[in-house]
């Protein structure tokens, strides 16, 4: 490989701050807001695009799944605040109501089963009966506006730097002291007491000496990329009726769409009846590789007209007047580099309902080992090994190549981001490193920010009672297989990861 030696350069310090958040996606935006609410008055939020939200607003991941289990909503905090704020805007949000969660009413089940993941997943022995789930569909552009409004409410505490790409950590020994960034103004520096790497791909921690892993297994959902696009002028209710009355044709359609596109594709509902989105999965791709990024975008756009024409031909009831509404402005990313943190989450966290004294999120997820029940995410899963002054929340959190499939979705990005922001604020206020932060203080503030955590006197006891009543979801056949595998008595459960 030929090389070029860059000349030494003196860089301008553009900002100094207490907390620097790099990346304003679901994790980073949440970290900045949470830090400000925890009392930090000196936060800088750096983002490469001109808006916040990352995959949710720019990648058009316009549904967040499994915020509840039975009749309890375990994922709250800033995640639920998004939707509470959007709910006052007509047609911006579509989801089962809070008082409907866990309902087994057959009429409600029939109504909501056409909206993907609003009815609990099943199909495995020991799973709960079908019931309504808090899975929320939303309009990404309305959320883009709302996320800016949230930042503007804290304009005295948060300085936003859009169009700024965090490029390289500044290290003094094993401590991160700031970040070099690139922008239209050139190459400059932000110095900080705490840096939060919320890039999603570990763009910063991978340069610090902290151990990390890449996702080399091409069989997982996480090792796929996407370019989401939306179709307008549809009648989704009519399309759903067509699928119900012609199940064999509907199954054939799902297969045919992927054949036409050349990669797995699916028509999904949205927050309104006249728009659907086309999600896709380009297999064995790395969203940090130039070639894979380019191939994903160009191949997807190359097939859009063909896919739309096919839908109009075979299902005119739903697509007669359909047209390409818009294309996501950024690549759909799932996973690339993963932190090897002070704790690495595995399938055993789900199969054994592990308890962590440093728990920062107690989330229902899409993992059917424990029937999509709540799992504890520890603070150590966002703490890099061998490096101080940095936290790493979001889809690159510390998990192995099986567990990451259940932990890199939007709710977990928001939850770990909110916790990272609070931890950074507490560390700065107490004058300690993020590795020495008082986790009890962090947990106290998270609970005050509407984040339910286990084993707390100030959290509704009915949450724990629900978990105990249903054995933490561990009566499934998959949980028993996972436990047997952990004890060396059964099959490897990794093949079940693609739920």
């Amino acid at each position: 490989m030929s090389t070029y030696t860059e000349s030494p350069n003196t860089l301008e310090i553009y900002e100094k701050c207490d907390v620097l958040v790099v990346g304003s996606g679901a994790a980073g935006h949440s970290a900045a807001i949470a830090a400000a609410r925890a009392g930090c008055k000196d936060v800088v939020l750096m983002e490469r695009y001109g808006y916040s939200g990352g995959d949710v607003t720019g990648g058009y991941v316009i549904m967040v799944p499994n915020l509840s289990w039975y009749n309890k909503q375990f994922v709250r905090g800033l995640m639920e605040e998004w939707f509470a704020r959007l709910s006052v805007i007509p047609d911006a949000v579509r989801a089962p109501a809070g008082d409907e969660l866990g309902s087994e009413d057959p009429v409600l089940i029939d109504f909501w089963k056409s909206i993907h993941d609003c009815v609990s997943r099943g199909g495995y022995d020991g799973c709960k009966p079908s019931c309504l789930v808090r899975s929320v569909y939303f309009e990404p552009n309305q959320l883009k506006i709302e996320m800016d409004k949230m930042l503007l409410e804290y304009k005295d505490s948060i300085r936003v730097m859009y169009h700024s790409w965090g490029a390289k950590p500044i290290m003094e020994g094993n401590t991160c002291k700031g970040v070099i960034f690139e922008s239209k103004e050139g190459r400059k520096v932000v110095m900080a007491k705490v840096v939060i790497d919320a890039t999603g791909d570990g763009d910063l921690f991978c340069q610090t000496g902290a151990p990390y892993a890449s996702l080399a297994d091409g069989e997982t959902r996480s090792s796929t990329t996407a370019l989401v696009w939306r179709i307008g002028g549809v009648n989704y209710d009519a399309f759903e009726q067509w699928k119900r009355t012609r199940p064999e044709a509907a199954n054939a359609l799902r297969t045919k769409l992927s054949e036409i596109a050349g990669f797995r594709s699916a028509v999904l509902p949205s927050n309104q009846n006249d728009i659907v989105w086309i999600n896709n999965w380009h297999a064995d791709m790395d969203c940090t590789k130039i070639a894979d990024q380019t191939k994903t975008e160009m191949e997807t756009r190359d097939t859009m007209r063909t896919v739309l024409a096919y839908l109009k031909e075979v299902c005119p009831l739903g697509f007669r007047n359909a047209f390409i509404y818009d294309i996501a402005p950024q690549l759909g990313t799932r996973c690339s580099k993963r932190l090897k943190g002070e704790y690495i989450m595995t399938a055993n966290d789900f199969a054994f309902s592990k308890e962590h004294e440093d728990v920062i999120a107690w989330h229902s997820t899409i993992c059917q080992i424990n029937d999509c029940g709540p799992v504890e995410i520890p603070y150590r899963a966002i703490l890099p090994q061998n490096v101080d002054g940095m936290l790493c929340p979001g889809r690159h959190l510390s998990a192995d190549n099986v567990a990451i499939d259940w932990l890199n979705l939007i709710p977990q990005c928001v939850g770990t981001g909110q916790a990272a922001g609070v931890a950074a604020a507490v560390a700065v206020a107490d004058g300690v490193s993020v590795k020495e932060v008082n986790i009890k203080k962090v947990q106290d503030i998270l609970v005050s920010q509407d984040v339910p955590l286990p084993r707390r006197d100030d959290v509704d006891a009915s949450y724990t009672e629900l978990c105990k009543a249903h054995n933490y979801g561990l009566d499934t056949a998959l949980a028993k297989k996972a436990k047997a595998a952990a004890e060396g008595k059964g099959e490897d459960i990794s093949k079940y990861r693609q739920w």
Side-chain angles (χ1 to χ4, degrees):
M1 177 186 294
S2 59
T3 62
Y4 169 79
T5 301
E6 185 177 6
S7 301
N9 193 14
T10 300
L11 303 180
E12 173 190 339
I13 295 178
Y14 185 82
E15 285 275 12
K16 293 181 180 180
C17 62
D18 287 339
V19 176
L20 168 61
V21 184
V22 182
S24 190
H29 182 274
S30 299
I33 295 293
R37 290 181 179 176
C40 188
K41 302 295 185 183
D42 191 16
V43 180
V44 168
L45 177 60
M46 181 185 296
E47 166 58 41
R48 61 173 168 156
Y49 293 111
Y51 53 85
S52 290
D55 274 340
V56 288
T57 59
Y60 286 7
V61 181
I62 54 179
M63 184 273 279
V64 294
N66 282 55
L67 305 181
S68 63
W69 195 53
Y70 287 90
N71 66 334
K72 300 294 182 186
Q73 186 166 338
F74 283 82
V75 185
R76 297 205 311 258
L78 286 169
M79 181 83 272
E80 181 58 26
E81 184 178 332
W82 288 5
F83 308 127
R85 296 172 73 114
L86 289 179
S87 65
V88 301
I89 301 167
D91 298 323
V93 171
R94 186 181 196 182
D99 60 359
E100 295 175 336
L101 300 184
S103 174
E104 298 177 28
D105 181 337
V107 178
L108 285 173
I109 295 292
D110 182 73
F111 173 77
W112 282 106
K113 71 180 182 181
S114 63
I115 311 299
H116 178 64
D117 264 347
C118 287
V119 175
S120 59
R121 297 180 175 215
Y124 293 90
D125 291 343
C127 287
K128 60 181 172 293
S130 291
C131 65
L132 295 193
V133 176
R134 180 69 168 165
S135 294
V136 185
Y137 289 74
F138 57 91
E139 167 51 49
N141 292 307
Q142 292 289 359
L143 181 58
K144 189 182 292 186
I145 294 169
E146 202 62 37
M147 294 179 93
D148 271 356
K149 287 183 177 294
M150 293 173 74
L151 293 171
L152 289 169
E153 289 168 6
Y154 291 92
K155 62 184 178 182
D156 293 335
S157 300
I158 303 172
R159 302 189 296 286
V160 179
M161 292 173 55
Y162 284 154
H163 303 287
S164 302
W165 188 306
K168 185 177 181 180
I170 297 170
M171 303 296 295
E172 289 186 9
N174 292 328
T175 301
C176 185
K177 294 291 189 177
V179 169
I180 298 170
F181 72 97
E182 302 272 7
S183 76
K184 288 290 188 178
E185 296 185 31
R187 190 172 172 88
K188 298 185 180 182
V189 168
V190 176
M191 304 299 292
K193 294 177 182 177
V194 177
V195 173
I196 297 178
D197 182 349
T199 61
D201 293 306
D203 293 343
L204 300 178
F205 72 62
C206 73
Q207 301 180 68
T208 64
Y212 66 93
S214 62
L215 199 70
D217 186 344
E219 298 301 316
T220 65
R221 177 194 64 83
S222 290
S223 63
T224 63
T225 53
L227 180 64
V228 171
W229 54 291
R230 295 194 289 179
I231 299 175
V234 306
N235 185 333
Y236 186 78
D237 288 343
F239 178 55
E240 175 63 21
Q241 188 64 28
W242 177 85
K243 289 193 296 181
R244 292 191 185 196
T245 56
R246 298 171 176 82
E248 291 185 3
N251 288 333
L253 174 66
R254 281 190 284 268
T255 301
K256 190 65 176 179
L257 281 181
S258 299
E259 289 178 2
I260 291 171
F263 43 84
R264 184 183 164 207
S265 300
V267 178
L268 295 173
S270 77
N271 55 293
Q272 55 195 74
N273 185 57
D274 58 348
I275 296 175
V276 296
W277 58 298
I278 308 296
N279 201 359
N280 44 84
W281 297 262
H282 293 253
D284 200 14
M285 292 285 194
D286 185 334
C287 59
T288 64
K289 302 296 185 184
I290 295 171
D292 289 356
Q293 292 172 320
T294 302
K295 184 177 181 181
T296 300
E297 297 230 21
M298 293 188 71
E299 286 190 350
T300 308
R301 286 192 290 267
D302 188 46
T303 64
M304 289 177 183
R305 292 171 182 161
T306 306
V307 168
L308 177 58
Y310 181 75
L311 288 170
K312 289 167 72 81
E313 176 186 359
V314 301
C315 190
L317 285 176
F319 291 89
R320 178 177 287 111
N321 301 313
F323 56 90
I324 294 176
Y325 180 71
D326 60 6
I327 302 169
Q330 68 184 69
L331 183 78
T333 54
R334 293 184 170 106
C335 189
S336 56
K337 293 182 283 292
R338 291 172 287 118
L339 182 70
K340 287 186 177 180
E342 293 195 353
Y343 183 86
I344 300 173
M345 297 194 71
T346 71
N348 286 344
D349 284 279
F350 297 83
F352 291 89
S353 189
K354 287 192 174 183
E355 296 183 355
H356 299 285
E357 288 307 305
D358 60 338
V359 56
I360 52 172
W362 192 25
H363 279 198
S364 44
T365 71
I366 61 168
C367 178
Q368 288 188 322
I369 286 179
N370 66 339
D371 199 15
C372 301
V375 64
E376 297 185 19
I377 302 175
Y379 180 61
R380 287 163 293 153
I382 63 172
L383 270 179
Q385 296 183 42
N386 308 328
V387 172
D388 207 347
M390 178 176 281
L391 293 169
C392 308
R395 62 182 172 84
H396 55 213
L397 88 170
S398 180
D400 71 8
N401 67 335
V402 175
I404 194 66
D405 254 7
W406 310 312
L407 292 166
N408 62 3
L409 300 180
I410 302 303
Q412 289 69 56
C413 291
V414 173
T416 55
Q418 184 168 1
V422 170
V426 171
V428 169
D430 289 353
V432 300
S433 76
V434 290
K435 289 185 180 291
E436 298 169 338
V437 73
N438 185 327
I439 194 64
K440 178 64 165 58
K441 284 187 180 180
V442 174
Q443 292 167 332
D444 289 346
I445 294 172
L446 284 171
V447 170
S448 75
Q449 292 186 359
D450 193 36
V451 175
L453 294 175
R455 300 178 296 282
R456 299 273 311 194
D457 293 336
D458 51 358
V459 171
D460 186 349
S462 66
Y463 279 72
T464 298
E465 291 166 3
L466 175 73
C467 291
K468 290 180 177 178
H470 297 286
N471 192 28
Y472 293 85
L474 298 179
D475 292 328
T476 66
L478 284 174
K480 294 170 185 175
K481 286 183 178 181
K483 289 181 178 181
E487 296 167 357
K489 301 175 182 177
E491 64 179 325
D492 180 6
I493 57 99
S494 65
K495 68 180 181 181
Y496 297 107
R497 75 186 80 173
Q498 295 188 76
W499 299 314

